[in-house]
Amino acid sequence: MSDISSSSAEERTINASQMKVSDTDVAIDVVGMHKWYGDFHVLRDIDLKVMRGERIVVAGPSGSGKSTLIRCMNRLEEHQQGQIIVNGTELTADLKRIDEVRREVGMVFQHFNLFPHLTILQNLTLAPIWVRGTPQAEAEATAMHYLERVKIPEQANKFPGQLSGGQQQRVAIARSLCMQPKIMLFDEPTSALDPEMVKEVLEVMISLAEEGMTMICVTHEMGFARQVANRVIFMDQGQIIEQNDPENFFSNPQHERTQLFLSQILH
Ligand SMILES: Nc1ncnc2c1ncn2[C@@H]1O[C@H](COP(=O)(O)OP(=O)(O)OP(=O)(O)O)[C@@H](O)[C@H]1O
């Protein structure tokens, strides 16, 4: 397995100019969006346009609303004001399409959320068979393809508890890929992992980025942000207060809250 840390930035940095995106090629459009938990105004006037093929890292202090924002993008959480348009569907307006939207938007969580009593193969084929109606043999072939893709085909018949955390997270990524999503949301996918397992999960995410997957990642992995993101978004107290390409974001943060955050995590 290649060593991310020893790869040069030139080898790994993905050229933003290679992305073929235009104003009409919007994957997710969040417009004037607000969300409350009871009386608590958790997201305030969020505007965010994500183009197809973009790789966005969402950074910010604990409690700033990062997870809530991406959970709103596949309606795991409901917003109360404004619009979230995913692949052309406004999430509150067209509830009938919500299942379809969820299939187009894969999500990987901090805790892998695998069913412990099912084998890896069964975890991967469950939704394709029962949600999509895919024949079992086809679902299993697809599952094996994606297990190869995340480099653990030999684990297919084991149970989640027999795998390391890094392997379980790779299974969770493969499970999302089995639904052939157009967009992948990652909510701190490496936070629950031991340090030595972080790299193997980041490598899978990097390869997805290299293949052009639209990705929005909440992560504290600033090395990943530098290497892979073409935009870093900084949230504070429910607002996006700064966004920039990684080079400028890290070298020249504009907002004092961003400067403080970076000084705390990078030193
Ligand atoms: N279901 C909920 N009900 C009420 N408040 C919630 C709920 N979920 C999150 N919150 C609160 O909303 C705020 C934003 O939470 P969120 O998890 O989005 O932040 P975050 O930036 O992802 O934080 P972290 O980096 O610690 O995961 C926090 O103050 C949190 O306590």
Side-chain angles (χ1 to χ4, degrees), residues 93-156:
D94 196 351
L95 285 175
K96 287 190 198 133
R97 272 252 306 147
I98 207 74
D99 286 343
E100 211 172 307
V101 169
R102 286 224 178 100
R103 270 174 246 159
E104 292 170 353
V105 183
M107 182 129 186
V108 175
F109 301 88
Q110 179 177 358
H111 300 290
F112 329 117
N113 297 359
L114 301 173
F115 291 107
H117 58 291
L118 298 181
T119 66
I120 301 307
L121 193 62
Q122 288 167 337
N123 266 280
L124 265 59
T125 55
L126 193 68
I129 291 172
W130 294 102
V131 177
R132 274 221 172 132
T134 307
Q136 183 168 343
E138 186 185 329
E140 287 181 356
T142 305
M144 287 311 300
H145 169 79
Y146 286 113
L147 281 178
E148 303 257 2
R149 173 76 185 67
V150 300
K151 302 197 170 108
I152 41 172
E154 72 284 357
Q155 308 295 342

Short mmCIF file of all heavy atoms in Angstrom, two decimals, residues 93-156:
data_model
loop_
_atom_site.label_atom_id
_atom_site.label_comp_id
_atom_site.label_asym_id
_atom_site.label_seq_id
_atom_site.Cartn_x
_atom_site.Cartn_y
_atom_site.Cartn_z
N ALA A 93 -39.43 20.21 -1.02
CA ALA A 93 -40.55 20.35 -1.95
C ALA A 93 -40.97 19.01 -2.54
O ALA A 93 -42.14 18.79 -2.81
CB ALA A 93 -40.18 21.30 -3.08
N ASP A 94 -40.01 18.12 -2.75
CA ASP A 94 -40.31 16.91 -3.49
C ASP A 94 -39.99 15.67 -2.65
O ASP A 94 -39.03 14.96 -2.88
CB ASP A 94 -39.48 16.91 -4.79
CG ASP A 94 -40.01 15.91 -5.80
OD1 ASP A 94 -40.89 15.11 -5.42
OD2 ASP A 94 -39.55 15.93 -6.94
N LEU A 95 -40.86 15.46 -1.66
CA LEU A 95 -40.59 14.36 -0.72
C LEU A 95 -40.62 12.99 -1.40
O LEU A 95 -39.98 12.06 -0.94
CB LEU A 95 -41.61 14.39 0.41
CG LEU A 95 -41.36 15.49 1.44
CD1 LEU A 95 -42.50 15.54 2.46
CD2 LEU A 95 -40.04 15.27 2.16
N LYS A 96 -41.37 12.90 -2.51
CA LYS A 96 -41.45 11.60 -3.19
C LYS A 96 -40.09 11.18 -3.73
O LYS A 96 -39.81 10.00 -3.89
CB LYS A 96 -42.42 11.70 -4.36
CG LYS A 96 -43.87 11.76 -3.93
CD LYS A 96 -44.78 11.61 -5.14
CE LYS A 96 -46.17 12.10 -4.79
NZ LYS A 96 -46.73 13.00 -5.77
N ARG A 97 -39.26 12.16 -4.03
CA ARG A 97 -37.95 11.85 -4.63
C ARG A 97 -36.89 11.62 -3.55
O ARG A 97 -35.73 11.38 -3.85
CB ARG A 97 -37.50 13.03 -5.52
CG ARG A 97 -37.99 12.95 -6.95
CD ARG A 97 -36.86 12.60 -7.94
NE ARG A 97 -35.72 13.49 -7.87
CZ ARG A 97 -34.47 13.13 -8.08
NH1 ARG A 97 -34.16 11.89 -8.38
NH2 ARG A 97 -33.48 14.00 -8.00
N ILE A 98 -37.30 11.72 -2.28
CA ILE A 98 -36.29 11.74 -1.23
C ILE A 98 -35.48 10.44 -1.18
O ILE A 98 -34.26 10.45 -0.99
CB ILE A 98 -36.93 12.08 0.14
CG1 ILE A 98 -35.88 12.72 1.03
CG2 ILE A 98 -37.55 10.94 0.83
CD1 ILE A 98 -35.56 14.11 0.65
N ASP A 99 -36.16 9.30 -1.39
CA ASP A 99 -35.43 8.03 -1.37
C ASP A 99 -34.42 7.97 -2.51
O ASP A 99 -33.30 7.49 -2.36
CB ASP A 99 -36.39 6.85 -1.47
CG ASP A 99 -37.13 6.64 -0.16
OD1 ASP A 99 -36.66 7.17 0.85
OD2 ASP A 99 -38.16 5.95 -0.18
N GLU A 100 -34.87 8.49 -3.66
CA GLU A 100 -33.98 8.52 -4.83
C GLU A 100 -32.76 9.40 -4.55
O GLU A 100 -31.63 9.02 -4.85
CB GLU A 100 -34.76 9.11 -6.00
CG GLU A 100 -34.36 8.59 -7.35
CD GLU A 100 -35.34 9.11 -8.39
OE1 GLU A 100 -36.56 8.94 -8.20
OE2 GLU A 100 -34.86 9.72 -9.34
N VAL A 101 -33.02 10.55 -3.94
CA VAL A 101 -31.92 11.46 -3.61
C VAL A 101 -30.95 10.78 -2.65
O VAL A 101 -29.74 10.84 -2.81
CB VAL A 101 -32.45 12.79 -3.00
CG1 VAL A 101 -31.32 13.62 -2.41
CG2 VAL A 101 -33.20 13.58 -4.05
N ARG A 102 -31.53 10.08 -1.65
CA ARG A 102 -30.66 9.40 -0.67
C ARG A 102 -29.78 8.36 -1.35
O ARG A 102 -28.64 8.14 -0.97
CB ARG A 102 -31.51 8.73 0.40
CG ARG A 102 -32.10 9.71 1.37
CD ARG A 102 -31.98 9.23 2.80
NE ARG A 102 -32.51 10.23 3.71
CZ ARG A 102 -33.72 10.18 4.24
NH1 ARG A 102 -34.51 9.18 3.99
NH2 ARG A 102 -34.12 11.13 5.05
N ARG A 103 -30.33 7.71 -2.38
CA ARG A 103 -29.52 6.72 -3.09
C ARG A 103 -28.40 7.37 -3.88
O ARG A 103 -27.35 6.79 -4.09
CB ARG A 103 -30.40 5.91 -4.05
CG ARG A 103 -30.96 4.68 -3.38
CD ARG A 103 -31.94 4.00 -4.29
NE ARG A 103 -33.26 4.08 -3.71
CZ ARG A 103 -34.39 3.95 -4.39
NH1 ARG A 103 -34.37 3.75 -5.68
NH2 ARG A 103 -35.53 4.02 -3.77
N GLU A 104 -28.65 8.61 -4.32
CA GLU A 104 -27.64 9.31 -5.11
C GLU A 104 -26.57 9.93 -4.21
O GLU A 104 -25.53 10.36 -4.70
CB GLU A 104 -28.30 10.43 -5.93
CG GLU A 104 -29.20 9.88 -7.03
CD GLU A 104 -30.06 10.96 -7.68
OE1 GLU A 104 -30.07 12.11 -7.21
OE2 GLU A 104 -30.72 10.63 -8.68
N VAL A 105 -26.87 10.00 -2.92
CA VAL A 105 -25.95 10.66 -1.99
C VAL A 105 -25.51 9.64 -0.94
O VAL A 105 -26.27 9.31 -0.03
CB VAL A 105 -26.63 11.87 -1.31
CG1 VAL A 105 -25.64 12.59 -0.40
CG2 VAL A 105 -27.18 12.83 -2.35
N GLY A 106 -24.30 9.13 -1.10
CA GLY A 106 -23.79 8.16 -0.14
C GLY A 106 -23.29 8.88 1.10
O GLY A 106 -22.84 10.03 1.02
N MET A 107 -23.41 8.21 2.24
CA MET A 107 -22.92 8.85 3.47
C MET A 107 -22.09 7.86 4.27
O MET A 107 -22.48 6.70 4.44
CB MET A 107 -24.12 9.32 4.30
CG MET A 107 -23.72 10.02 5.56
SD MET A 107 -24.55 11.61 5.70
CE MET A 107 -23.78 12.27 7.15
N VAL A 108 -20.96 8.34 4.73
CA VAL A 108 -20.09 7.52 5.58
C VAL A 108 -19.95 8.26 6.91
O VAL A 108 -19.64 9.44 6.95
CB VAL A 108 -18.71 7.32 4.91
CG1 VAL A 108 -17.76 6.59 5.84
CG2 VAL A 108 -18.87 6.55 3.60
N PHE A 109 -20.21 7.52 7.99
CA PHE A 109 -20.27 8.13 9.31
C PHE A 109 -18.98 7.81 10.09
O PHE A 109 -18.24 6.90 9.74
CB PHE A 109 -21.46 7.57 10.10
CG PHE A 109 -22.79 7.81 9.42
CD1 PHE A 109 -23.29 6.89 8.51
CD2 PHE A 109 -23.53 8.94 9.70
CE1 PHE A 109 -24.52 7.10 7.89
CE2 PHE A 109 -24.76 9.16 9.09
CZ PHE A 109 -25.25 8.24 8.18
N GLN A 110 -18.85 8.53 11.19
CA GLN A 110 -17.70 8.30 12.07
C GLN A 110 -17.72 6.84 12.59
O GLN A 110 -16.71 6.15 12.57
CB GLN A 110 -17.81 9.27 13.24
CG GLN A 110 -16.73 9.16 14.27
CD GLN A 110 -16.89 10.21 15.35
OE1 GLN A 110 -17.78 11.05 15.32
NE2 GLN A 110 -16.02 10.16 16.32
N HIS A 111 -18.89 6.42 13.06
CA HIS A 111 -19.04 5.03 13.51
C HIS A 111 -19.68 4.29 12.33
O HIS A 111 -20.64 4.78 11.75
CB HIS A 111 -19.88 4.96 14.79
CG HIS A 111 -19.24 5.75 15.89
ND1 HIS A 111 -18.08 5.34 16.51
CD2 HIS A 111 -19.54 6.96 16.41
CE1 HIS A 111 -17.71 6.24 17.39
NE2 HIS A 111 -18.58 7.25 17.35
N PHE A 112 -19.15 3.16 12.02
CA PHE A 112 -19.34 2.58 10.69
C PHE A 112 -20.77 2.13 10.42
O PHE A 112 -21.18 1.99 9.28
CB PHE A 112 -18.35 1.41 10.53
CG PHE A 112 -17.08 1.64 11.33
CD1 PHE A 112 -16.71 0.80 12.38
CD2 PHE A 112 -16.29 2.75 11.06
CE1 PHE A 112 -15.57 1.06 13.13
CE2 PHE A 112 -15.14 3.01 11.81
CZ PHE A 112 -14.78 2.16 12.84
N ASN A 113 -21.53 1.93 11.49
CA ASN A 113 -22.95 1.57 11.35
C ASN A 113 -23.15 0.30 10.52
O ASN A 113 -24.08 0.23 9.71
CB ASN A 113 -23.75 2.72 10.73
CG ASN A 113 -23.75 3.96 11.60
OD1 ASN A 113 -23.16 3.96 12.67
ND2 ASN A 113 -24.39 5.01 11.15
N LEU A 114 -22.29 -0.67 10.71
CA LEU A 114 -22.49 -1.96 10.05
C LEU A 114 -23.37 -2.83 10.95
O LEU A 114 -23.34 -2.68 12.18
CB LEU A 114 -21.15 -2.66 9.81
CG LEU A 114 -20.15 -1.89 8.94
CD1 LEU A 114 -18.80 -2.59 8.92
CD2 LEU A 114 -20.68 -1.70 7.52
N PHE A 115 -24.13 -3.73 10.34
CA PHE A 115 -24.93 -4.66 11.14
C PHE A 115 -24.01 -5.77 11.65
O PHE A 115 -23.44 -6.53 10.84
CB PHE A 115 -26.06 -5.26 10.30
CG PHE A 115 -27.12 -4.26 9.93
CD1 PHE A 115 -27.22 -3.76 8.64
CD2 PHE A 115 -28.02 -3.80 10.89
CE1 PHE A 115 -28.19 -2.82 8.32
CE2 PHE A 115 -28.99 -2.86 10.57
CZ PHE A 115 -29.08 -2.38 9.28
N PRO A 116 -23.87 -5.88 12.99
CA PRO A 116 -22.87 -6.81 13.53
C PRO A 116 -23.18 -8.28 13.28
O PRO A 116 -22.27 -9.11 13.23
CB PRO A 116 -22.87 -6.50 15.04
CG PRO A 116 -24.15 -5.80 15.30
CD PRO A 116 -24.56 -5.12 14.04
N HIS A 117 -24.48 -8.59 13.13
CA HIS A 117 -24.87 -10.00 12.99
C HIS A 117 -24.88 -10.44 11.53
O HIS A 117 -25.20 -11.59 11.24
CB HIS A 117 -26.25 -10.22 13.62
CG HIS A 117 -27.30 -9.34 13.00
ND1 HIS A 117 -27.32 -7.98 13.19
CD2 HIS A 117 -28.34 -9.63 12.20
CE1 HIS A 117 -28.34 -7.47 12.52
NE2 HIS A 117 -28.97 -8.45 11.91
N LEU A 118 -24.56 -9.53 10.60
CA LEU A 118 -24.50 -9.89 9.19
C LEU A 118 -23.04 -9.94 8.74
O LEU A 118 -22.20 -9.17 9.24
CB LEU A 118 -25.25 -8.86 8.33
CG LEU A 118 -26.75 -8.69 8.59
CD1 LEU A 118 -27.33 -7.65 7.62
CD2 LEU A 118 -27.48 -10.02 8.43
N THR A 119 -22.76 -10.81 7.77
CA THR A 119 -21.40 -10.83 7.23
C THR A 119 -21.16 -9.54 6.44
O THR A 119 -22.10 -8.80 6.13
CB THR A 119 -21.18 -12.03 6.27
OG1 THR A 119 -22.02 -11.83 5.12
CG2 THR A 119 -21.49 -13.34 6.94
N ILE A 120 -19.90 -9.33 6.09
CA ILE A 120 -19.56 -8.15 5.29
C ILE A 120 -20.34 -8.16 3.98
O ILE A 120 -20.94 -7.16 3.58
CB ILE A 120 -18.03 -8.12 5.03
CG1 ILE A 120 -17.26 -8.08 6.36
CG2 ILE A 120 -17.66 -6.98 4.10
CD1 ILE A 120 -17.66 -7.00 7.32
N LEU A 121 -20.37 -9.32 3.33
CA LEU A 121 -21.09 -9.41 2.05
C LEU A 121 -22.58 -9.12 2.25
O LEU A 121 -23.20 -8.41 1.46
CB LEU A 121 -20.90 -10.81 1.45
CG LEU A 121 -21.31 -10.97 -0.01
CD1 LEU A 121 -20.49 -10.06 -0.92
CD2 LEU A 121 -21.15 -12.42 -0.45
N GLN A 122 -23.14 -9.65 3.33
CA GLN A 122 -24.57 -9.39 3.59
C GLN A 122 -24.82 -7.91 3.91
O GLN A 122 -25.83 -7.35 3.49
CB GLN A 122 -25.06 -10.26 4.77
CG GLN A 122 -25.19 -11.73 4.38
CD GLN A 122 -25.35 -12.63 5.60
OE1 GLN A 122 -24.96 -12.29 6.73
NE2 GLN A 122 -25.91 -13.81 5.38
N ASN A 123 -23.88 -7.29 4.63
CA ASN A 123 -24.01 -5.85 4.89
C ASN A 123 -24.05 -5.07 3.58
O ASN A 123 -24.79 -4.11 3.43
CB ASN A 123 -22.84 -5.35 5.74
CG ASN A 123 -23.15 -5.33 7.22
OD1 ASN A 123 -23.80 -4.42 7.72
ND2 ASN A 123 -22.69 -6.35 7.93
N LEU A 124 -23.22 -5.49 2.62
CA LEU A 124 -23.12 -4.76 1.36
C LEU A 124 -24.29 -5.01 0.42
O LEU A 124 -24.63 -4.15 -0.40
CB LEU A 124 -21.81 -5.10 0.64
CG LEU A 124 -20.65 -4.14 0.90
CD1 LEU A 124 -20.30 -4.06 2.36
CD2 LEU A 124 -19.43 -4.52 0.07
N THR A 125 -24.90 -6.18 0.54
CA THR A 125 -25.97 -6.51 -0.42
C THR A 125 -27.37 -6.19 0.12
O THR A 125 -28.34 -6.21 -0.64
CB THR A 125 -25.93 -8.01 -0.80
OG1 THR A 125 -25.99 -8.79 0.39
CG2 THR A 125 -24.66 -8.33 -1.58
N LEU A 126 -27.44 -5.88 1.41
CA LEU A 126 -28.75 -5.67 2.04
C LEU A 126 -29.59 -4.61 1.31
O LEU A 126 -30.71 -4.87 0.86
CB LEU A 126 -28.53 -5.26 3.50
CG LEU A 126 -29.75 -5.30 4.40
CD1 LEU A 126 -30.20 -6.74 4.62
CD2 LEU A 126 -29.42 -4.67 5.75
N ALA A 127 -29.03 -3.41 1.19
CA ALA A 127 -29.80 -2.32 0.56
C ALA A 127 -30.03 -2.56 -0.93
O ALA A 127 -31.17 -2.39 -1.40
CB ALA A 127 -29.12 -0.98 0.81
N PRO A 128 -29.01 -2.98 -1.69
CA PRO A 128 -29.29 -3.24 -3.11
C PRO A 128 -30.42 -4.26 -3.30
O PRO A 128 -31.28 -4.08 -4.16
CB PRO A 128 -27.95 -3.78 -3.64
CG PRO A 128 -26.93 -3.12 -2.77
CD PRO A 128 -27.57 -3.06 -1.40
N ILE A 129 -30.44 -5.34 -2.49
CA ILE A 129 -31.47 -6.36 -2.68
C ILE A 129 -32.84 -5.86 -2.21
O ILE A 129 -33.83 -5.94 -2.93
CB ILE A 129 -31.08 -7.66 -1.93
CG1 ILE A 129 -29.87 -8.32 -2.60
CG2 ILE A 129 -32.27 -8.64 -1.88
CD1 ILE A 129 -29.28 -9.50 -1.84
N TRP A 130 -32.87 -5.26 -1.00
CA TRP A 130 -34.16 -4.95 -0.39
C TRP A 130 -34.69 -3.57 -0.77
O TRP A 130 -35.89 -3.35 -0.77
CB TRP A 130 -34.08 -5.10 1.13
CG TRP A 130 -33.86 -6.54 1.50
CD1 TRP A 130 -32.67 -7.10 1.88
CD2 TRP A 130 -34.79 -7.61 1.43
NE1 TRP A 130 -32.82 -8.44 2.07
CE2 TRP A 130 -34.12 -8.79 1.81
CE3 TRP A 130 -36.14 -7.69 1.10
CZ2 TRP A 130 -34.76 -10.03 1.85
CZ3 TRP A 130 -36.77 -8.92 1.15
CH2 TRP A 130 -36.08 -10.08 1.52
N VAL A 131 -33.79 -2.64 -1.06
CA VAL A 131 -34.25 -1.29 -1.43
C VAL A 131 -34.39 -1.18 -2.94
O VAL A 131 -35.36 -0.64 -3.46
CB VAL A 131 -33.29 -0.20 -0.89
CG1 VAL A 131 -33.74 1.19 -1.33
CG2 VAL A 131 -33.19 -0.28 0.62
N ARG A 132 -33.40 -1.72 -3.64
CA ARG A 132 -33.39 -1.56 -5.09
C ARG A 132 -34.01 -2.71 -5.85
O ARG A 132 -34.30 -2.61 -7.03
CB ARG A 132 -31.93 -1.44 -5.57
CG ARG A 132 -31.42 -0.04 -5.51
CD ARG A 132 -30.60 0.27 -6.73
NE ARG A 132 -30.30 1.68 -6.71
CZ ARG A 132 -29.10 2.19 -6.91
NH1 ARG A 132 -28.08 1.40 -7.16
NH2 ARG A 132 -28.93 3.49 -6.88
N GLY A 133 -34.12 -3.87 -5.18
CA GLY A 133 -34.65 -5.05 -5.86
C GLY A 133 -33.64 -5.71 -6.79
O GLY A 133 -34.00 -6.44 -7.71
N THR A 134 -32.36 -5.46 -6.52
CA THR A 134 -31.32 -6.09 -7.34
C THR A 134 -31.27 -7.59 -7.06
O THR A 134 -31.31 -8.00 -5.89
CB THR A 134 -29.93 -5.47 -6.98
OG1 THR A 134 -30.04 -4.05 -7.07
CG2 THR A 134 -28.84 -5.97 -7.90
N PRO A 135 -31.20 -8.43 -8.10
CA PRO A 135 -31.08 -9.88 -7.85
C PRO A 135 -29.83 -10.18 -7.01
O PRO A 135 -28.80 -9.50 -7.16
CB PRO A 135 -30.95 -10.47 -9.26
CG PRO A 135 -31.54 -9.44 -10.17
CD PRO A 135 -31.27 -8.11 -9.52
N GLN A 136 -29.94 -11.21 -6.16
CA GLN A 136 -28.87 -11.48 -5.19
C GLN A 136 -27.50 -11.68 -5.85
O GLN A 136 -26.49 -11.12 -5.39
CB GLN A 136 -29.22 -12.72 -4.36
CG GLN A 136 -28.16 -12.99 -3.30
CD GLN A 136 -28.60 -14.02 -2.28
OE1 GLN A 136 -29.78 -14.32 -2.16
NE2 GLN A 136 -27.64 -14.55 -1.55
N ALA A 137 -27.47 -12.46 -6.95
CA ALA A 137 -26.18 -12.76 -7.57
C ALA A 137 -25.52 -11.48 -8.09
O ALA A 137 -24.31 -11.27 -7.94
CB ALA A 137 -26.36 -13.75 -8.72
N GLU A 138 -26.35 -10.60 -8.66
CA GLU A 138 -25.83 -9.33 -9.18
C GLU A 138 -25.35 -8.43 -8.03
O GLU A 138 -24.28 -7.81 -8.11
CB GLU A 138 -26.93 -8.64 -9.97
CG GLU A 138 -26.48 -7.38 -10.69
CD GLU A 138 -27.67 -6.69 -11.36
OE1 GLU A 138 -28.63 -7.37 -11.77
OE2 GLU A 138 -27.62 -5.45 -11.45
N ALA A 139 -26.15 -8.41 -6.95
CA ALA A 139 -25.77 -7.59 -5.78
C ALA A 139 -24.45 -8.10 -5.18
O ALA A 139 -23.59 -7.30 -4.79
CB ALA A 139 -26.89 -7.62 -4.74
N GLU A 140 -24.29 -9.41 -5.16
CA GLU A 140 -23.06 -9.97 -4.58
C GLU A 140 -21.86 -9.68 -5.49
O GLU A 140 -20.76 -9.37 -5.01
CB GLU A 140 -23.21 -11.48 -4.36
CG GLU A 140 -24.14 -11.76 -3.17
CD GLU A 140 -24.30 -13.24 -2.87
OE1 GLU A 140 -23.77 -14.08 -3.64
OE2 GLU A 140 -24.97 -13.55 -1.87
N ALA A 141 -22.07 -9.74 -6.80
CA ALA A 141 -20.97 -9.43 -7.72
C ALA A 141 -20.55 -7.97 -7.56
O ALA A 141 -19.35 -7.65 -7.53
CB ALA A 141 -21.41 -9.72 -9.16
N THR A 142 -21.54 -7.09 -7.44
CA THR A 142 -21.24 -5.66 -7.24
C THR A 142 -20.51 -5.46 -5.92
O THR A 142 -19.52 -4.72 -5.84
CB THR A 142 -22.54 -4.83 -7.26
OG1 THR A 142 -23.22 -5.10 -8.47
CG2 THR A 142 -22.26 -3.34 -7.14
N ALA A 143 -21.00 -6.14 -4.88
CA ALA A 143 -20.37 -6.01 -3.56
C ALA A 143 -18.90 -6.46 -3.61
O ALA A 143 -18.01 -5.79 -3.07
CB ALA A 143 -21.14 -6.83 -2.53
N MET A 144 -18.66 -7.57 -4.29
CA MET A 144 -17.28 -8.06 -4.40
C MET A 144 -16.41 -7.07 -5.18
O MET A 144 -15.25 -6.84 -4.84
CB MET A 144 -17.22 -9.44 -5.05
CG MET A 144 -17.72 -10.57 -4.16
SD MET A 144 -17.03 -10.61 -2.49
CE MET A 144 -15.27 -10.79 -2.79
N HIS A 145 -16.99 -6.47 -6.21
CA HIS A 145 -16.26 -5.47 -6.98
C HIS A 145 -15.80 -4.32 -6.07
O HIS A 145 -14.64 -3.90 -6.11
CB HIS A 145 -17.16 -4.93 -8.11
CG HIS A 145 -16.63 -3.73 -8.79
ND1 HIS A 145 -15.64 -3.81 -9.75
CD2 HIS A 145 -16.90 -2.40 -8.63
CE1 HIS A 145 -15.34 -2.58 -10.16
NE2 HIS A 145 -16.09 -1.71 -9.50
N TYR A 146 -16.72 -3.85 -5.22
CA TYR A 146 -16.35 -2.71 -4.36
C TYR A 146 -15.47 -3.14 -3.18
O TYR A 146 -14.67 -2.34 -2.69
CB TYR A 146 -17.59 -1.93 -3.92
CG TYR A 146 -18.14 -1.12 -5.08
CD1 TYR A 146 -19.36 -1.41 -5.66
CD2 TYR A 146 -17.38 -0.08 -5.63
CE1 TYR A 146 -19.83 -0.68 -6.75
CE2 TYR A 146 -17.85 0.65 -6.72
CZ TYR A 146 -19.06 0.34 -7.27
OH TYR A 146 -19.51 1.06 -8.35
N LEU A 147 -15.60 -4.39 -2.76
CA LEU A 147 -14.66 -4.86 -1.73
C LEU A 147 -13.24 -4.93 -2.30
O LEU A 147 -12.26 -4.65 -1.61
CB LEU A 147 -15.10 -6.22 -1.17
CG LEU A 147 -16.23 -6.20 -0.15
CD1 LEU A 147 -16.59 -7.62 0.27
CD2 LEU A 147 -15.86 -5.36 1.09
N GLU A 148 -13.15 -5.32 -3.57
CA GLU A 148 -11.83 -5.28 -4.25
C GLU A 148 -11.36 -3.83 -4.32
O GLU A 148 -10.19 -3.54 -4.11
CB GLU A 148 -11.95 -5.79 -5.70
CG GLU A 148 -12.51 -7.17 -5.84
CD GLU A 148 -11.46 -8.22 -6.12
OE1 GLU A 148 -10.28 -7.85 -6.16
OE2 GLU A 148 -11.84 -9.40 -6.25
N ARG A 149 -12.29 -2.95 -4.60
CA ARG A 149 -11.99 -1.53 -4.78
C ARG A 149 -11.39 -0.93 -3.50
O ARG A 149 -10.51 -0.08 -3.55
CB ARG A 149 -13.30 -0.84 -5.17
CG ARG A 149 -13.35 0.62 -5.27
CD ARG A 149 -12.67 1.08 -6.55
NE ARG A 149 -12.61 2.53 -6.56
CZ ARG A 149 -11.89 3.24 -5.72
NH1 ARG A 149 -11.16 2.65 -4.81
NH2 ARG A 149 -11.89 4.55 -5.79
N VAL A 150 -11.89 -1.40 -2.33
CA VAL A 150 -11.33 -0.90 -1.06
C VAL A 150 -10.31 -1.89 -0.47
O VAL A 150 -9.91 -1.80 0.67
CB VAL A 150 -12.44 -0.57 -0.03
CG1 VAL A 150 -13.38 0.50 -0.56
CG2 VAL A 150 -13.23 -1.82 0.38
N LYS A 151 -9.93 -2.86 -1.31
CA LYS A 151 -8.80 -3.75 -1.03
C LYS A 151 -8.99 -4.72 0.13
O LYS A 151 -8.04 -5.08 0.81
CB LYS A 151 -7.52 -2.93 -0.81
CG LYS A 151 -7.17 -2.04 -2.00
CD LYS A 151 -5.73 -1.60 -1.91
CE LYS A 151 -5.29 -0.92 -3.17
NZ LYS A 151 -5.10 0.48 -3.12
N ILE A 152 -10.25 -5.16 0.34
CA ILE A 152 -10.45 -6.20 1.36
C ILE A 152 -11.45 -7.28 0.90
O ILE A 152 -12.34 -7.67 1.66
CB ILE A 152 -10.91 -5.61 2.73
CG1 ILE A 152 -11.96 -4.50 2.53
CG2 ILE A 152 -9.75 -5.16 3.57
CD1 ILE A 152 -12.58 -4.03 3.82
N PRO A 153 -11.28 -7.80 -0.31
CA PRO A 153 -12.23 -8.82 -0.77
C PRO A 153 -12.18 -10.08 0.10
O PRO A 153 -13.18 -10.79 0.23
CB PRO A 153 -11.76 -9.12 -2.21
CG PRO A 153 -10.33 -8.72 -2.24
CD PRO A 153 -10.21 -7.55 -1.30
N GLU A 154 -11.02 -10.34 0.71
CA GLU A 154 -10.86 -11.57 1.50
C GLU A 154 -11.69 -11.54 2.79
O GLU A 154 -11.82 -12.56 3.46
CB GLU A 154 -9.37 -11.79 1.81
CG GLU A 154 -8.75 -10.84 2.82
CD GLU A 154 -8.44 -9.44 2.28
OE1 GLU A 154 -8.66 -9.21 1.09
OE2 GLU A 154 -8.01 -8.59 3.08
N GLN A 155 -12.27 -10.35 3.12
CA GLN A 155 -13.05 -10.25 4.37
C GLN A 155 -14.54 -10.51 4.16
O GLN A 155 -15.33 -10.40 5.10
CB GLN A 155 -12.88 -8.84 4.98
CG GLN A 155 -11.45 -8.38 5.14
CD GLN A 155 -10.67 -9.21 6.14
OE1 GLN A 155 -11.25 -9.93 6.95
NE2 GLN A 155 -9.35 -9.16 6.06
N ALA A 156 -14.93 -10.85 2.92
CA ALA A 156 -16.36 -10.87 2.56
C ALA A 156 -17.22 -11.71 3.49
O ALA A 156 -18.36 -11.36 3.78
CB ALA A 156 -16.51 -11.37 1.12
#
